[in-house]
């Protein structure tokens, strides 16, 4: 006899979920099996947080809906950090979690799951009964996909085990993009006519609109920049400034700060993207689907509610053939970071030199995933990416330890590219369980650990005069740890040691490469100094 758990899995497969991740326990065994039986690929992670972060990254890099499956109680709480990251990032994601039966009031696994889910900003939904199971599942799917929300669908064990009550799983109609108000379009067009040094800053909400934004920028003479999460959107464009904010080169920061109009397109314009507002001396306009975004982080003179691509096209039409050189009167010159004097020592490599050399060695077709930590500016600033699907940045919650799982999810979404995980030693060791998953799946990933044997952010924040014994650690042979999991291991202390990366690239790439890069103490990275200012 088919159960409600079988029906939920079958319904999601029919709706078209692309990939499943999870850690299987008794509470989610049946629903996971139903997904697999109907052709949904499943990745068994080693930790529920890792599974959820993989799914988050997969959604970002594929624009398809994945599903996570969890055990009740502790399975959900283990995943909460990943769920929080996805919810803060407005990642469309569906999480299936078992729940204790209503009558099991003394069960060890029992917690108030709805309250826990809502507390981290996700949407809590529930399969209420066998008769409502299909409708409940479709509702959760619709909220995830059409409202761009992280939705957790609770599956009580007694409802799961009940006989299924079949029903039609009609795929919800996709809503049409929101077209902006004509008066708002005219106001933005007039602002662009009057600007002589306009800059566009595109965020994750603009990742579908690169061509429309390029066309409008060409007509108005605007320079193009992105927030960190949209890095790569304008890759190869001669008028691209790269990332705006703390990761920006001095040249990029100066050009944005000197703008007389900054337009944020699907971009929060938060303190990270604007250097606490220091880059926004100009008039500021913002285009977003959510009116609540306007002014949430900085002053905004003009807000336009609408889809970014629609808005850019409508503003271009409103200009009615008007063009100007604007900020494009002379070539930009070099806007990327270049390493200053090499501060490497005999046994430790300068992280800037390391990153620049890796950029030259690694193939251009890459997806770079970056963990959180003091080191994170180096791969973000120095490693180029081919497009907006070349950079995965799970940083909305600023939790360390998510980078390796991020890289794994991104790799599954983009198997045509070399996955590169850039991690600090603290974050690597925190998330190391998923290294077994990388090896088991045979993913030819390059894992680069920026290893300063410390939590570098805390050293910088509290200063050298503080007792740092709680945030410094003995030097650890991370390459040997990688080899124990089945990776090829490489310890890097000098530029010459990076020849090992070339040998791995030239070889069969039949196992991941773990690079333990022993980096010099940077005294606190430039971007972190700005963040702590």
């Amino acid at each position: 006899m088919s159960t409600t758990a079988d029906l939920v899995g079958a319904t999601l497969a029919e709706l078209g979920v692309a990939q499943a991740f999870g850690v299987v326990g008794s509470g989610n065994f049946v629903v996971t099996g139903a997904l697999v039986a109907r052709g949904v690929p499943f990745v068994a992670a080693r930790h529920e947080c890792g599974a959820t972060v993989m799914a988050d990254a997969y959604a970002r890099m594929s624009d398809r809906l994945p599903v996570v499956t969890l055990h009740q109680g502790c399975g959900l709480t283990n995943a909460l950090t990943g769920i929080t990251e996805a919810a803060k990032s407005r990642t469309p994601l569906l999480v299936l979690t078992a729940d204790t039966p209503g009558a099991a009031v003394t069960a060890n696994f029992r917690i108030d799951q709805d309250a826990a889910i809502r507390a981290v900003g996700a949407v809590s939904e529930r399969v209420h009964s066998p008769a409502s199971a299909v409708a409940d599942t479709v509702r959760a799917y619709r909220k995830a996909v059409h409202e761009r929300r992280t939705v957790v669908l609770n599956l009580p064990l007694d409802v799961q085990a009940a006989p299924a009550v079949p029903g039609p799983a009609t795929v919800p109609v996709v809503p049409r993009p929101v077209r902006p108000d004509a008066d708002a379009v005219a106001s933005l067009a007039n602002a662009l006519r009057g600007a002589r040094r306009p800059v566009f800053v595109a965020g994750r909400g603009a990742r579908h609109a690169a061509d429309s934004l390029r066309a409008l920028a060409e007509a108005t003479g605007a320079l193009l920049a992105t927030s960190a999460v949209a890095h790569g959107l304008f890759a190869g464009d001669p008028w691209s400034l790269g990332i705006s904010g703390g990761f920006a080169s001095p040249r990029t920061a100066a050009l944005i700060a000197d703008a007389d109009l900054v337009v944020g397109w699907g971009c929060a314009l938060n303190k990270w993207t604007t250097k606490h507002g220091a880059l926004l001396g100009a008039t500021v306009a913002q285009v977003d689907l959510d009116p609540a975004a306007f002014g949430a982080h900085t002053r905004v003179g003009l807000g336009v509610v609408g889809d970014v691509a629609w808005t850019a096209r409508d503003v271009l039409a409103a200009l009615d053939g008007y063009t100007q050189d604007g900020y494009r009167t002379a070539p930009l010159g070099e806007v990327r970071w270049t390493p200053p004097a090499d501060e490497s020592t005999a046994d430790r490599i300068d992280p800037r030199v390391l990153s620049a050399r890796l950029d030259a060695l690694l193939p251009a077709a890459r997806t770079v995933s970056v963990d959180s930590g003091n080191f994170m500016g180096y791969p973000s600033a120095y490693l180029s990416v081919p497009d907006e699907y070349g950079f995965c940045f799970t940083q909305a919650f600023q939790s360390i330890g998510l980078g390796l799982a991020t890289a794994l999810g991104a790799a599954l979404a983009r198997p045509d590219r070399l996955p590169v995980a850039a991690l600090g030693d603290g974050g690597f060791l925190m998330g190391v369980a998923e290294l077994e998953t990388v090896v088991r799946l045979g993913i030819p990933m390059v894992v680069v650990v920026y290893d300063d044997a410390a939590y570098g952010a805390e050293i910088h924040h509290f200063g050298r005069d503080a007792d740092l014994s709680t945030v410094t650690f003995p030097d650890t042979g991370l390459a040997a740890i990688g080899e124990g999991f089945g990776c090829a291991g490489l310890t890097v202390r000098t530029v010459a040691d990076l020849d090992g990366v070339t040998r791995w690239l030239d070889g069969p790439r039949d196992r991941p490469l773990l690079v333990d890069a022993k980096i010099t103490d940077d005294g606190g990275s430039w971007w972190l100094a700005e963040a702590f200012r």
Side-chain angles (χ1 to χ4, degrees):
M1 178 185 296
S2 178
T3 66
T4 301
D6 292 311
L7 181 61
V8 170
T11 300
L12 288 172
E14 187 177 345
L15 289 170
V17 295
Q19 173 76 48
F21 301 86
V23 175
V24 174
S26 58
N28 62 326
F29 186 89
V30 176
V31 71
T32 304
L35 288 164
V36 172
R38 289 159 180 84
V40 178
F42 175 73
V43 169
R46 287 300 192 173
H47 193 280
E48 289 89 349
C49 183
T52 309
V53 175
M54 291 174 205
D56 182 359
Y58 183 93
R60 298 181 195 220
M61 295 292 102
S62 70
D63 295 326
R64 302 177 69 196
L65 183 72
V67 63
V68 181
T69 79
L70 307 173
H71 186 66
Q72 66 270 26
C74 51
L76 173 63
T77 58
N78 276 350
L80 280 179
T81 297
I83 291 171
T84 307
E85 169 62 37
K88 283 180 173 286
S89 299
R90 288 294 292 267
T91 299
L93 179 61
L94 184 56
V95 180
L96 304 179
T97 182
D99 198 1
T100 50
V105 294
T106 60
N108 287 12
F109 293 128
R110 188 178 187 86
I111 63 169
D112 187 343
Q113 295 195 174
D114 293 302
I117 293 159
R118 288 193 295 267
V120 301
V123 176
S124 184
E125 288 288 348
R126 181 168 293 274
V127 174
H128 295 280
S129 70
S132 67
V134 172
D136 294 336
T137 303
V138 171
R139 182 178 63 253
Y141 173 92
R142 180 188 60 77
K143 286 189 176 182
V145 174
H146 296 165
E147 299 179 24
R148 293 179 53 246
R149 299 298 299 272
T150 296
V151 178
V152 182
L153 181 61
N154 293 274
L155 306 173
L157 293 180
D158 50 347
V159 177
Q160 285 196 56
V165 180
T170 304
V171 178
V173 175
V174 178
R176 293 177 62 83
V178 176
R179 193 164 186 176
D181 174 76
D183 288 343
V185 167
S187 296
L188 183 52
N190 287 335
L192 286 166
R193 281 194 185 93
R196 292 298 170 262
R197 296 182 306 280
V199 170
F200 291 174
V201 181
R204 189 174 171 193
R207 291 178 70 211
H208 66 295
D211 291 342
S212 299
L213 290 175
R214 286 177 195 260
L216 181 61
E218 182 177 2
T220 58
L223 302 183
L224 298 163
T226 70
S227 65
V229 291
H231 182 35
L233 185 66
F234 303 120
D237 193 295
W239 302 106
S240 173
L241 298 171
I243 300 174
S244 172
F247 298 154
S249 69
R251 172 74 172 149
T252 288
L255 287 167
I256 297 173
D258 200 38
D260 57 1
L261 174 66
V262 173
V263 185
W265 299 88
C267 174
L269 294 177
N270 60 28
K271 65 180 182 179
W272 308 103
T273 303
T274 67
K275 285 195 169 186
H276 295 272
L279 301 185
L280 297 180
T283 299
V284 178
Q286 196 171 359
V287 179
D288 203 284
L289 287 171
D290 184 1
F294 303 144
H297 297 279
T298 189
R299 57 178 175 78
V300 172
L302 172 62
V304 181
V305 177
D307 173 77
V308 167
W310 260 120
T311 303
R313 290 194 294 266
D314 282 358
V315 171
L316 183 60
L319 290 171
D320 195 24
Y322 170 84
T323 62
Q324 64 167 345
D325 291 336
Y327 225 152
R328 301 186 176 196
T329 56
L332 285 179
E334 183 56 66
V335 295
R336 290 187 61 198
W337 282 94
T338 54
D342 187 351
E343 296 182 4
S344 301
T345 65
D347 61 351
R348 287 197 168 266
I349 188 169
D350 186 321
R352 300 163 298 183
V353 173
L354 165 71
S355 303
R357 182 59 180 154
L358 285 170
D359 186 51
L361 291 176
L362 298 172
R366 64 182 75 153
T367 299
V368 177
S369 300
V370 181
D371 205 345
S372 192
N374 181 67
F375 78 95
M376 62 193 280
Y378 301 113
S380 300
Y382 284 94
L383 296 183
S384 57
V385 296
D387 54 29
E388 66 272 28
Y389 296 102
F391 192 71
C392 201
F393 197 66
T394 46
Q395 299 286 344
F397 198 31
Q398 284 188 264
S399 171
I400 71 169
L402 308 187
L404 185 58
T406 296
L408 204 159
L412 292 169
R414 300 304 309 240
D416 54 322
R417 302 177 177 192
L418 177 71
V420 179
L423 319 173
D425 54 301
F428 167 68
L429 290 169
M430 191 176 288
V432 72
E434 301 310 341
L435 195 59
E436 188 278 334
T437 311
V438 177
V439 172
R440 173 168 31 96
L441 297 180
I443 295 175
M445 182 184 295
V446 176
V447 180
V448 182
V449 183
Y450 288 71
D451 183 3
D452 61 358
Y455 290 139
E458 282 62 38
I459 290 175
H460 178 75
H461 186 57
F462 292 102
R464 302 286 166 177
D465 295 333
D467 177 4
L468 300 176
S469 61
T470 57
V471 292
T472 55
F473 303 91
D475 193 19
T476 304
L478 302 183
I481 292 175
E483 289 172 348
F485 275 92
C487 298
L490 175 66
T491 300
V492 170
R493 295 184 179 275
T494 68
V495 172
D497 292 333
L498 287 169
D499 289 347
V501 175
T502 301
R503 290 192 293 272
W504 183 87
L505 291 169
D506 291 342
R509 305 188 195 179
D510 54 355
R511 53 182 175 158
L513 172 66
L514 192 140
V515 179
D516 181 7
K518 306 294 188 181
I519 61 171
T520 55
D521 181 353
D522 62 8
S525 61
W526 80 93
W527 72 270
L528 201 57
E530 180 68 32
F532 284 153
R533 179 175 58 81

